Every structure is written in C-alpha cells, then in structure tokens.
Amino acid sequence: MGGATRPVVLDAMGGDHGPAETVPAALAAHRDHGVPVLLVGRADDVRRELRRHGGAGEVEVVHADGIVPMAERGAAAAARRDSSLMVGCALARREGGSFVSAGSTGAVVTCAVRSLGRREGVLRPALAVALPTLTGSTVLVDAGGTADPTPEMLAQFALLGAAYARSVLGAPDPSVGLLSIGAEPGKGNRLAREAAGLLPGMPVRFHGNVEGHDVLAGTVDVVVTDGFTGNVVLKNIEGCVRTTLDMVADAGIAPSGRLAEVARLYTADTHGGAALLGLTGTVVVGHGSSRSAALARACVVASELGAADEPVPAGGRASAGPVA
Amino acid sequence: MGGATRPVVLDAMGGDHGPAETVPAALAAHRDHGVPVLLVGRADDVRRELRRHGGAGEVEVVHADGIVPMAERGAAAAARRDSSLMVGCALARREGGSFVSAGSTGAVVTCAVRSLGRREGVLRPALAVALPTLTGSTVLVDAGGTADPTPEMLAQFALLGAAYARSVLGAPDPSVGLLSIGAEPGKGNRLAREAAGLLPGMPVRFHGNVEGHDVLAGTVDVVVTDGFTGNVVLKNIEGCVRTTLDMVADAGIAPSGRLAEVARLYTADTHGGAALLGLTGTVVVGHGSSRSAALARACVVASELGAADEPVPAGGRASAGPVA
C-alpha cells in the first residue's frame, strides 16, 4: 500500500459471511482491478482465509478484535472502539482512503459519521444507490442513511445526490425529482410538501415531484426521498425485479436484451453497494448478504469514488445539528 | 332500482376520461354482472353516452352539475356541494349502497369521509389494495388515504386491513406485517418504531416487521404502512412489473404461466381499485387513468364488498380526532 494510490479499507468481519467472503473479495479487487485493499478484522481468521485462497501476504491485514453483530443499533456499535468497523474507519481516515463494509447499515453509518465526520455544512449523511433503470441509471438518495430527516436535509440530499450523479453517471447537469404521491407540489406528506417548497431554491435542476413508478422508469437522474421511504423503495424494487425474473425463469424463458442486462445488474453479486454521501471520506456500504463478487465490486467502486475526490456541494442551509 | 340488491353509485365525471369510460363501465357491470349501477354527473353528457352505447334508460342517471378537477385538494373538493363526488356520496349513503369514483384520491377520501362519516372508533380511513403476488394476494394498507398518520392510526390500519383480507382474500386469520427497514422492532423511522410497540397488543396475528421485498413476495397477508410510503410502494410495484413486462416483450418473449397471470392482473384494465376502509359505507377509488373495463371491475368489487357488510373492527384506541 501507500504511494500514489489511496487504499480501500475493507471491514473483514462485516456482513453475514465475514472473512469467508470478504477475503476472496479483497484478493479479487487487488488481482483483477489493481485496487490496494487493507483487510481489517481478526488477524488469525483473516490470515487463515488468505492462505486458503493462496493469497498469504498479498493483502495487508490490520488486526481488530471486536465484531459488531448485524442486529446492533448504531450507538452501541460506535461504543465498541476495538471493532473492525471503528478501527477500519479510523484507518481509512488516517490513510486518506475509502472504507467498505457489508455490516449493518445503521452501524456503519453511525461509526463512519463518528470517525470520519461530516463535510462542512452537511447536516446529515445520506446513502446513495445507482439503480439500473429501463434506459440507464438513476441515483436514489437517501436509501437508508437518515430515517427521519428534516425538509432542509432533504434539500441538501438533492445537492449530494446531484454531485454523486455527476461523478458516477457522468451526467453533467443531472435532473432531480422529489419522491411524492402526486405530481403537484401540494401533494405528499408534511415532509415532502415542505421539501417541495425548498427545492426550487437549490442550485440543482429540479424537475418537481416524481412518483413510485418513476424510479425504475428513469424519469429523472436523481430521486430524492427520506431514508425510510428510500430504503423501502430500494428493497421493493430489488424484490420486484427478482420476483418477475423468477416468473420469467419458471415460464421456461431465457432472458435476453435489456432484460438479461437488468437481470445481471440486479443480482447481488454484481451490485456495487451504496455510497454514504456527505462525509470527509468515501464510504461504501454493501448488502449484508453480499458474496465476494459483490464485495469486490464495492471495493472497486470505493476506489474510483475516492480517486474522483468529488467536491463538497455548498449546503446553503448548514447548521450544527446533532447526528443520529 | 331498489329492492333486495343495494346499488353501486358511480361518479360519472371522475377520472381522466369522464363519461366516455364511466358510462360503458356502468353498462358492462350491469349487463355482465347484474350490478345495479346509478350514474351521477351531468345528465345530458351521461345520457348522450348511454345512447351512443345503446343503453338509454338501462342505467339510472342522477344529475349533478359540478365537477371536481383531478388536481383539486380535498377540502376544496368537499366545498363543491353540487359535484358528482358529493352528490354521489350522499346518494350512496341514502340508498345504503356503495360508491365508486376514479377521481383524485385526496378529493374522494375527503368527500367520502365528510359525507359517509367514519365508523365508530375509527381514527382515520385507510386505502387498501389487494396486490397480486408470486403466490396469491397481499393487502397493502394504507395505500394513500392518510399521508401522516399517528402510530395509533397505523395500529388500527392493521385491524381494518385484517378485516378486509378476511373479506376479499378469504383468509380466516390473516398475518399482518409492519413495513419497515429492518426485521427488528427497533429498526425504522419514529412512526414505524412506535407502531411496532403497539401492534403486538392488537387483536391481529402480528408477524413483526417486513421489508420492501416482502410486499410482492407475499410474506404476509396484510402489509401495514403510512399512506405516503404505501402509495409510493404501490406505484413503484406497478411501475416495476410494467417495466419488467415491457422488457420481456422487447426481448420477443410471450409471457406464460404465473407471469402471464401477473401481467394480466397488473394491467390497469383488470385492476379493481382501492377500497377506502373505516367508513360507514363501501367506497372504491379507481385509478384516474382507468378505462371502462377497470371501472366495471371496480363496480363489481364495490357491490361484493357492500354485500359482505364486513363488521367494524374494535378500534380500542378510539378518539374524536379531526379528519384531514
């Protein structure tokens, strides 16, 4: 490690499968994509897996004794200072690198915020996912970072999401839609209605409200919503696509064309994870059920995002509010 | 009309297409299913359409001069006392019949609540939709009736939804899940966490939290959520299924098996609309874009629901709170 390329710190103990999947992921990211990965976790377990894959000494290992269980709440997770999550975040900060974990989203978010800190002016971090759509990709933000944001936070998520879309979709001036339950600004719950009042004043190309069917249709480049609705929608879309593909398979049909491509993109094994936006470092959160291919992809995405060094969007409505 | 069978009152002016679709719908419901339909709206327009379909005198017409535009907010809609919505609701109450409209959901909900009133103990009405799943059907409640409910209202939606599932799915003891962003009761936004604390004490078979992918998977018989999230999820699922089916078609594949069945069920033309639960009368809200086949189906569903005369679930946490 060291030198020109910033490392990707991978939480070796995160996710449902731990080192059995994280170790081959680190090796694949390194061997196939030249990403310098640092594995953080129980050194004995990690080194055993490295040997099993013929990769002893190939990837650096940093010991961390503690493990954050998948069911642990955020605050409790951050209190375990010896965990692979907290040690990994601290290491990523020190090395100027990116951090990747398939641990519990809530725990990763809390630990990353505590350890890396928010960028200046950022009220709350948000999770962004680039979803494959019928025609391209749409960034969904927030996909689960902040379950109960204020309207001001939602307005800022629009800025963070637009910056992310410029970086990962290469869209020079991404369109931004607010997820609601009707096209008119007056439609929605209190939060959406208030955010609809703020968004036209933000320095983004605001399209107006979009609805549930617009997400996968790719109506806009960025769909903004609260972390509760966003997480439900993300899992709902994944479930719908998988269910429909199961029915396609049950009907004895082999997917082809865009269907085959979407089938491949919605397989957890090629999914790149969600990016945690608004922190002073790059953090990618993988699915808890991720296998090595998905985690290797997350490491590659984290490396690219870290290198892009996306500028901080000016919040405009910054305050020193507490972090969840 | 009159006699043994209670009529279905159809808002002739509701929806994007008005009498051009509502009139043939009324004729189809009457001719093919023996449903006694009353058409409420501008009598001249309605009778002209009836003649055009060779059905002059076949379906009773009640004149109402006003029309509620699709974009109108609830309170403004209820103020137009001469509208087909308000006249239709009043007529349904007087005749002990059901009411069907493809008008703006917010306007139909407000007018129906004002006109029919809530059943005793019901805090707020909720929209229920029976969604076709991989294996059968799942009731989603609230699909857009109350955008900002309290935890107590969500707990009551569970009772209303379970009663509806008994009636339309024929499930004797339906399982009920709370839509959230993690399986543990501590996961979710404030509303979901508080509702998760109330639901184990309600007289329903509470399964616990479910997530976005569980809706179409049919994990539980009833999925309970707030009207904002529910409406986003409903439109999201409809969009996902349609998008995937488009990709199936683009790939030159003819759907078969369960896929063909789901394709048929998710076509707006066979969709039966959403039932508004918790009122002293049966109300079915159709899609604004509904064509005559979908509206005819909504009339049949409304007739069946009205005849079932589902008993009121005991609220337990009743109060005289105001209605949105």
Side-chain angles (χ1 to χ4, degrees), chain A:
Chain A
M1 144 212 116
T5 315
R6 293 165 174 186
V8 169
V9 177
L10 176 59
D11 171 10
M13 315 312 283
D16 299 337
H17 312 291
E21 299 292 336
T22 56
V23 168
L27 289 170
H30 179 241
R31 288 170 182 172
D32 304 341
H33 303 276
V35 175
V37 181
L38 271 165
L39 278 163
V40 176
R42 292 193 175 159
D44 287 354
D45 297 348
V46 175
R47 293 217 169 86
R48 188 181 313 117
E49 281 298 321
L50 277 171
R51 283 194 298 275
R52 222 166 62 80
H53 289 87
E58 200 175 322
V59 171
E60 199 170 331
V61 179
V62 175
H63 180 71
D65 211 55
I67 297 175
V68 173
M70 286 301 283
E72 189 130 301
R73 297 290 296 274
R80 298 176 186 253
R81 306 201 67 83
D82 69 338
S83 72
S84 56
L85 259 182
M86 287 302 278
V87 173
C89 284
L91 191 64
R93 189 189 59 220
R94 209 162 56 233
E95 300 280 342
S98 306
F99 181 66
V100 175
S101 177
S104 143
T105 303
V108 177
V109 171
T110 306
C111 292
V113 171
R114 296 266 170 101
S115 186
L116 298 170
R118 286 169 285 161
R119 295 184 184 195
E120 202 186 328
V122 169
L123 300 170
R124 287 283 173 98
L127 274 174
V129 181
L131 285 171
T133 65
L134 195 53
T135 50
S137 285
T138 288
V139 170
L140 177 70
V141 59
D142 177 16
T146 301
D148 283 300
T150 63
E152 289 75 20
M153 291 172 194
L154 273 194
Q156 205 174 51
F157 292 170
L159 295 176
L160 293 167
Y164 185 69
R166 279 192 291 273
S167 169
V168 300
L169 307 188
D173 185 23
S175 58
V176 177
L178 175 69
L179 190 59
S180 192
I181 58 175
E184 306 81 21
K187 293 284 179 82
N189 56 9
R190 268 189 302 270
L191 175 64
R193 291 198 308 270
E194 289 179 28
L198 296 177
L199 279 161
M202 303 297 284
V204 290
R205 184 151 65 88
F206 183 52
H207 165 96
N209 285 2
V210 293
E211 299 187 70
H213 50 268
D214 290 305
V215 183
L216 199 61
T219 306
V220 289
D221 297 312
V222 180
V223 171
V224 173
T225 189
D226 64 275
F228 182 82
T229 308
N231 190 269
V232 167
V233 163
L234 172 64
K235 289 173 179 164
N236 190 40
I237 287 181
E238 289 174 344
C240 285
V241 173
R242 273 201 306 271
T243 300
T244 320
L245 290 171
D246 284 351
M247 290 189 283
V248 169
D250 284 352
I253 297 164
S256 61
R258 181 68 183 157
L259 185 66
E261 202 180 331
V262 165
R264 190 182 59 76
L265 291 169
Y266 275 95
T267 306
D269 277 4
T270 50
H271 196 293
L276 187 57
L277 308 180
L279 303 186
T280 60
T282 299
V283 176
V284 173
V285 189
H287 261 261
S289 61
S290 294
R291 296 289 179 176
S292 64
L295 288 166
R297 176 91 198 110
C299 289
V300 173
V301 167
S303 176
E304 287 168 357
L305 282 174
D309 221 352
E310 176 67 20
V312 187
R317 287 181 179 77
S319 89
V323 165

Side-chain angles (χ1 to χ4, degrees), chain B residues 8-43:
Chain B
V8 169
V9 177
L10 176 59
D11 171 11
M13 314 312 283
D16 300 338
H17 312 291
E21 299 291 335
T22 56
V23 169
L27 288 170
H30 180 240
R31 289 172 181 170
D32 303 341
H33 301 277
V35 175
V37 181
L38 271 167
L39 278 163
V40 177
R42 291 191 176 161

